[in-house]
Amino acid sequence: MSLTVDGIEAPAEGTLLDAVLAAGIGLPHLCTDDNLAAIGACRTCLVEADGRIVAACSAPASQFHQVATRGAVVERIRRGVLELTAAMVSPGSLDRPGGPHAGELAAALASHSARLDRYPHRTRTRSDATNTFFSFHEEACILCGRCVAACQELQHIGAIGMAGRGGATRVTPGADATFADSICTSCGSCVAACPTPALSPREAFAP
Amino acid sequence: MTRRVPTTCPYCGVGCGIVLNVDDSGRIAWVDDDPANLSSVGMLCVKGRFGATFVNHPDRLTTPLVRRDGVLQPATWDEALDLVARRLPEYRGRFGSFASAKATNEDAFVQQKFVRLVMGTNNIDHCTRLCHSPSVEAMLQQLGSGATSNSYADFEAAGCVVVIGCDPGSNHPVIASRLRRAIDDRGVRLVVVNPRRIDLCDRAQVFLQPEPGADVALFNGMARAILDAGVEDRDFIASRTEGYAAWEAAVLELTVEQHAALAAVDAGLLREAALLIARPPAPVGHPPAGRPGTCLLWGMGITQHTQGTANAHALINLALLTGHLGHPGAGISPLRGQNNVQGCGDSGCIPDSLPGYQRLDEGNLASFEGAWGASPPAQPGLKATDMIERILAGDIRAMYIVGENPLLSEPNLHHATMAIQALDFLVVQDIFLHETAALADVVLPACSFAEKDGTFTNSERRVQRVRPAIAAVGESRPDWEIICDLARRMAPGAGVARGQFEYASAAGVFDELARLTPFLRGLSHERLDREGGLQWPCPTPGHPGSPVLYAESFPRGRGLFVPVRQGSFADETPDADYALILNTGRVLYHWHGGTLTRRVRGLLARVDTVPVAIHPDDAAPAAISGGDDVTVYSRRGRLRGAAVVTDAVRPGSVFVPFVKLNESAANFLTNNAYDPQSRIPEYKVCAVRIEKGHAARRRDAAATGALRPQGEAAIDHEPVPGHE
Ligand code: SF4
Ligand code: FES
């Protein structure tokens, strides 16, 4: 069984995203962290596989033969997803310094020449600077869920979660709670996972 | 461009993999987790993630210091080392040395070689004396080896884990994460034994909150319950152990109810815990054929008592009785507090054995003489706590202390300070001018973990690489290089070849350690770089390392049951004047005495005064509410802190983490009473009283006679008048 990605042979192990990255090809994957199991929430990793459009992070590589990350259709769909994602954050909020992966959204937008103003921005302004090591600025949050997964599935703490529905959904350490008065242990795994500067280190570690 | 340097966390004994991200200016800009590290599998705690910035703190020592006209003044390396080389030989026979469980295996190996060959004494020890020496003594006697028998991964393969006298959520946070994962995802059952209700109790099936010091009664009671129910492992007892009959007789002297009453726990809960330990249910994904096991994890709550060794015996007896040794998902795990406390002992920094725990017998001495060209001394040396006591007796006149701060870590600090002040000559080698260094005659600046090459060995016996990420701060040098330089100056006078202290690199030092230590013989820096951290024993280059010990037999042959009976709970018990029991422990945001974590802004901001936990029943009569300033007094000193009123502690007791904040530290209160076998001090129990408000502060620079280090406290805690 052979697998090719954009014509390049790739190992048919793990997920299609693993295969794409192993072939040395760039592909956004905003809700997948190398430290965590796939979440499959952001849809920025869409590829065309044997004629279907699938989320690469959640598709087993062994079930496909030909994968294309390029192509008018799949690139347009990804650009659309990215432009919708961009509408979730405030203009300028991605320029702030952040954790090790904070530049992922900005890089994905740039690589797809996505327009940042295609859809009206849904600005959220809450922020939480009560933790002495990091702060949270909701205006840069895209609700990918990596921080929540890091807190729950990696560290098994469960200090933060997604609350609310639809446009009111947000990441929070509990209704009306702050990081400081939550059960957060400040392990920083959420900061390490965040693909934008929403969760960003403070003081000593800020560049 | 950021450089990414994979290395090992410098804090606790979990030994998490960290990746230091170093920016263009050569500073640590971020610390990443390391999913490839098998001990931490991508997890980290707040200290590992955010605590590394102490390495660039302005307080770092940058030049050697020599005391001139009573004041420590900057000196060149040659001046400082020549002075030490000239003075130390006078003290042969009256010399002792503390090694550092924070430094590397390479540092430790070179230091013990220097002390043994050049100073001609086995007076070398390290902080294990203050933490797990009772565990090591008990394991050596009963099994023949003093290390954790299993791996962290076994906590997730076990049917039951028992967390005794430790608070992993504060002190081994990544172990706590792994335990939470085991419980949440695998359905592993948790039993917690602690006089204080710790966070993990939320997930416990059984929580036992015994009277401090009643551990033998508690574990003997569990054993009795197991015998009563007939769920002991008969096959294991018959084929793998000895000494059973005498032990059984001791346990049968009291009923479960009598044992439970002694320990002040509910007999029904004690029985439930015992049966869970003996016959745990299978966790999710357990192979149908195998028998689910139990892992016993313990900390200082077992060891830091005048009967610490008896407590450890009682616990290991329980493992032998239930046969939970030698297979995956089972085992005994003393959780080590410092990053390299396992390795410091492995490398030979203990007074009664050579590297690799090889006894000081003729054969071993001869083989070391073969390697070193001169024999190490045959006479066992003094243990750390005895060295301090023997200073006051006049038997020890000079000390060389590396990476340790006894004037924060010893019990009864007024007493320890008197001892250190009585020395004729003191050399301290460290990264900060802490309380002990401030009293030294010569201070030598060492590199931090981020500046040096070497290895640490964690709590699961995994030897892991430490790699230099930033340039040495100031003129600091790696510990092993400093000691080699000194040793070369002194070697000719000691009849030792200078070449014995000429190593090209840390890898070269490790090679000699591995050559002389059978259980490390298969390891080298090059192999660890290639394969990642490996668990000893690893006797040959092709050996994969050993996740689980004792599958076939114990190093001493059969496991030995050692009968123990509950003795008096503590050396000092509450009375009318000091009516409360002080229990010491940790807080997540600081590490040990706090010499490092006080120099991390975010950690200090999180906890900047010593929290004093007190039960509402005891707070009410003293009119104390949460957040109030309080002063805690013992017969030896006092401590100022802030009250936390909580029913997590037992009525009649007070809990204080032993970090020093605002010049207050629990060890001004603790008792220098010792366990007879291991010589560990009884940090865990002493009698205190508490008052609302902060007693007036009396600063007394004369008490130290030393320069007051910036940002570091001088000793301002006078003994309480009338109790000296
Ligand atoms: S658990 Fe221990 S070794 Fe791991 S990051 Fe925290 S302090 Fe470091
Ligand atoms: S990375 Fe695939 S859906 Fe987010």
Side-chain angles (χ1 to χ4, degrees):
Chain A
M1 287 278 267
S2 75
L3 176 71
T4 61
V5 180
D6 296 345
I8 301 171
E9 285 279 341
E13 283 158 22
T15 65
L16 282 185
L17 180 61
D18 295 331
V20 170
L21 299 178
I25 295 167
L27 180 70
H29 49 278
L30 294 180
C31 72
T32 295
D33 193 287
D34 58 4
N35 217 345
L36 300 166
I39 298 171
C42 73
R43 319 310 283 174
T44 59
C45 64
L46 296 177
V47 293
E48 193 184 323
D50 298 341
R52 288 195 285 143
I53 303 289
V54 299
C57 69
S58 325
S62 59
Q63 292 178 12
F64 297 90
H65 304 291
Q66 271 193 354
V67 174
T69 70
R70 299 307 181 86
V73 176
V74 75
E75 283 182 78
R76 192 171 62 238
I77 299 176
R78 277 208 308 268
R79 184 178 311 117
V81 172
L82 286 165
E83 286 171 340
L84 277 166
T85 307
M88 297 174 75
V89 307
S90 304
S93 65
L94 300 185
D95 302 336
R96 196 201 312 271
H101 295 289
E104 283 184 11
L105 172 58
L109 292 169
S111 68
H112 283 68
S113 312
R115 274 175 52 200
L116 303 189
D117 53 355
R118 173 102 176 266
Y119 300 98
H121 284 280
R122 182 173 59 95
T123 308
R124 295 160 302 160
T125 53
R126 254 182 249 250
S127 64
D128 183 339
T130 59
N131 188 289
T132 60
F133 303 97
F134 57 83
S135 51
F136 177 53
H137 304 282
E138 207 177 345
E139 60 171 9
C141 171
I142 57 167
L143 299 174
C144 67
R146 270 161 80 167
C147 56
V148 174
C151 189
Q152 182 53 50
E153 265 114 64
L154 180 64
Q155 298 278 0
H156 283 263
I157 294 166
I160 48 176
M162 296 274 193
R165 288 178 176 277
T169 308
R170 57 196 186 88
V171 168
T172 167
D176 300 319
T178 60
F179 276 98
D181 57 31
S182 75
I183 57 168
C184 166
T185 63
S186 308
C187 70
S189 290
C190 56
V191 182
C194 184
T196 79
L199 278 159
S200 47
R202 299 175 67 173
E203 299 178 350
F205 277 135
Chain B
M1 263 305 278
T2 332
R3 268 187 310 119
R4 290 171 53 82
V5 182
T7 182
T8 305
C9 177
Y11 285 105
C12 84
V14 178
C16 297
I18 57 174
V19 183
L20 298 179
N21 289 15
V22 182
D23 66 17
D24 291 330
S25 67
R27 291 195 146 227
I28 297 172
W30 172 255
V31 176
D32 245 337
D33 41 67
D34 183 358
N37 182 292
L38 291 174
S39 289
S40 56
V41 289
M43 303 175 190
L44 277 189
C45 81
V46 60
K47 285 168 288 209
R49 175 88 65 194
F50 296 110
T53 49
F54 70 84
V55 303
N56 286 121
H57 194 279
D59 286 355
R60 277 288 299 273
L61 285 164
T62 54
T63 67
L65 303 173
V66 165
R67 191 172 296 280
R68 295 192 198 95
D69 306 323
V71 180
L72 282 173
Q73 294 179 358
T76 65
W77 273 109
D78 274 337
E79 275 174 277
L81 291 178
D82 281 341
L83 174 63
V84 178
R86 199 167 62 243
R87 293 288 306 274
L88 278 188
E90 298 169 36
Y91 298 103
R92 283 214 181 87
R94 295 174 303 161
F95 169 84
S97 187
F98 289 172
S100 175
K102 292 185 277 300
T104 61
N105 288 320
E106 293 74 3
D107 295 330
F109 177 79
V110 166
Q111 186 178 348
Q112 60 85 35
K113 184 174 177 182
F114 165 76
V115 169
R116 295 196 152 107
L117 279 192
V118 178
M119 292 306 293
T121 174
N122 286 314
N123 288 347
I124 177 148
D125 205 355
H126 67 286
C127 69
T128 193
R129 195 61 51 203
L130 309 179
C131 63
H132 268 302
S133 53
S135 314
V136 173
E137 297 279 330
M139 289 188 289
L140 280 174
Q141 189 187 342
Q142 297 184 262
L143 311 174
S145 158
T148 291
S149 74
N150 56 303
S151 303
Y152 306 151
D154 289 303
F155 305 151
E156 289 164 63
C160 175
V161 290
V162 191
V163 171
I164 308 149
C166 60
D167 177 10
S170 294
N171 202 48
H172 299 91
V174 165
I175 295 289
S177 287
R178 294 192 80 145
L179 292 176
R180 287 191 297 262
R181 180 161 86 176
I183 296 158
D184 296 353
D185 293 357
R186 309 289 301 271
V188 174
R189 307 303 165 97
L190 172 68
V191 174
V192 173
V193 179
N194 202 308
R196 191 167 58 100
R197 194 178 65 240
I198 59 172
D199 288 347
L200 272 175
C201 289
D202 289 351
R203 285 172 165 86
Q205 172 138 351
V206 183
F207 168 42
L208 296 168
Q209 196 170 14
E211 181 94 10
D215 302 279
V216 171
L218 188 90
F219 298 123
N220 280 359
M222 285 187 183
R224 176 74 203 247
I226 289 167
L227 293 174
D228 287 354
V231 289
E232 69 272 24
D233 187 340
R234 289 259 141 235
D235 290 346
F236 189 89
I237 295 167
S239 63
R240 300 284 306 269
T241 72
E242 60 193 21
Y244 177 79
W247 169 83
E248 186 192 44
V251 165
L252 293 178
E253 285 166 13
L254 299 179
T255 63
V256 175
E257 279 64 25
Q258 287 167 323
H259 281 119
L262 266 179
V265 297
D266 179 84
L269 284 180
L270 184 67
R271 242 194 215 98
E272 185 184 346
L275 300 187
L276 206 50
I277 291 168
R279 294 278 171 89
V284 172
H286 193 267
R291 168 181 171 227
T294 291
C295 290
L296 304 175
L297 287 65
W298 73 94
M300 312 291 88
I302 287 297
T303 58
Q304 289 175 341
H305 291 278
T306 40
Q307 27 172 356
T309 307
N311 292 345
H313 280 314
L315 201 50
I316 294 162
N317 290 336
L318 204 55
L320 294 174
L321 178 69
T322 52
H324 292 313
L325 273 169
H327 50 93
I332 52 173
S333 310
L335 296 178
R336 315 305 307 251
Q338 304 210 7
N339 53 344
N340 197 39
V341 66
Q342 181 68 53
C344 195
D346 298 348
S347 304
C349 293
I350 21 183
D352 52 12
S353 55
L354 295 161
Y357 307 97
Q358 299 174 81
R359 292 282 163 198
L360 293 162
D361 61 29
E362 254 173 59
N364 290 334
L365 289 170
S367 69
F368 276 79
E369 180 170 4
W372 289 349
S375 177
Q379 166 90 9
L382 293 172
K383 295 172 177 157
T385 40
D386 289 332
M387 278 189 240
I388 296 281
E389 300 290 341
R390 296 288 268 278
I391 295 170
L392 289 169
D395 301 340
I396 296 285
R397 303 308 312 159
M399 287 199 73
Y400 195 121
I401 299 178
V402 176
E404 277 294 328
N405 183 11
L407 294 192
L408 195 48
S409 53
E410 289 290 317
N412 190 358
L413 285 175
H414 296 297
H415 175 81
T417 307
M418 260 160 43
I420 295 286
Q421 278 174 328
L423 286 169
D424 292 341
F425 189 63
L426 172 63
V427 182
V428 171
Q429 180 171 311
D430 215 314
I431 67 172
F432 291 118
L433 193 63
H434 49 59
E435 290 83 347
T436 312
L439 296 182
D441 297 285
V442 179
V443 177
L444 302 172
C447 285
S448 78
F449 86 102
E451 295 140 58
K452 63 186 178 187
D453 203 14
T455 51
F456 293 154
T457 306
N458 72 7
S459 240
E460 59 172 356
R461 294 171 276 102
R462 192 182 298 281
V463 185
Q464 310 195 92
R465 287 281 280 123
V466 177
R467 299 187 178 88
I470 62 171
V473 168
E475 292 174 32
S476 66
R477 298 167 68 185
D479 291 283
W480 68 266
E481 278 189 40
I482 299 171
I483 294 175
C484 280
D485 191 342
L486 175 66
R488 289 193 300 267
R489 289 167 206 248
M490 294 175 65
V496 173
R498 297 176 86 239
Q500 283 298 332
F501 292 93
E502 273 160 6
Y503 298 96
S505 63
V509 177
F510 190 91
D511 288 343
E512 183 175 318
L513 166 64
R515 230 175 10 253
L516 291 168
T517 304
F519 64 68
L520 297 176
R521 207 159 277 159
L523 299 178
S524 64
H525 281 201
E526 182 267 330
R527 182 168 176 206
L528 295 169
D529 285 338
R530 209 163 7 96
E531 299 181 32
L534 290 164
Q535 291 170 282
W536 66 252
C538 182
T540 61
H543 191 286
S546 309
V548 176
L549 303 181
Y550 317 143
E552 305 294 328
S553 67
F554 297 106
R556 75 178 291 281
R558 282 170 173 259
L560 177 67
F561 278 98
V562 173
V564 281
R565 294 174 179 81
Q566 178 67 45
S568 72
F569 286 6
D571 176 70
E572 187 184 56
T573 46
D575 56 21
D577 293 336
Y578 295 89
L580 301 171
I581 293 178
L582 175 77
N583 174 16
T584 61
R586 334 276 178 126
V587 56
L588 170 63
Y589 295 96
H590 286 285
W591 189 70
H592 294 186
T595 304
L596 305 181
T597 48
R598 270 199 309 278
R599 291 182 169 90
V600 178
R601 222 183 319 168
L603 291 171
L604 188 60
R606 240 355 251 252
V607 176
D608 63 359
T609 32
V610 178
V612 177
I614 178 170
H615 193 274
D617 292 355
D618 301 312
I624 292 168
S625 356
D628 281 355
D629 288 345
V630 290
T631 307
V632 185
Y633 295 88
S634 79
R635 288 188 172 79
R636 294 156 295 277
R638 69 176 172 218
L639 164 150
R640 300 177 198 91
V644 177
V645 178
T646 167
D647 64 359
V649 297
R650 290 175 58 98
S653 70
V654 171
F655 174 84
V656 175
F658 69 83
V659 58
K660 182 176 189 179
L661 296 167
N662 282 328
E663 301 165 29
S664 273
N667 281 338
F668 287 103
L669 307 175
T670 50
N671 188 4
N672 53 321
Y674 303 101
D675 172 42
Q677 283 122 302
S678 66
R679 307 297 291 157
I680 196 168
E682 187 153 70
Y683 290 108
K684 285 286 176 184
V685 188
C686 72
V688 297
R689 66 189 160 83
I690 186 165
E691 279 173 17
K692 189 168 167 168
H694 277 181
R697 180 160 291 192
R698 270 182 301 164
R699 252 173 236 282
D700 189 4
T704 67
L707 135 163
R708 184 187 167 87
Q710 216 216 331
E712 186 76 64
I715 312 291
D716 75 334
H717 296 254
E718 294 196 346
V720 179
H723 290 293
E724 275 150 79

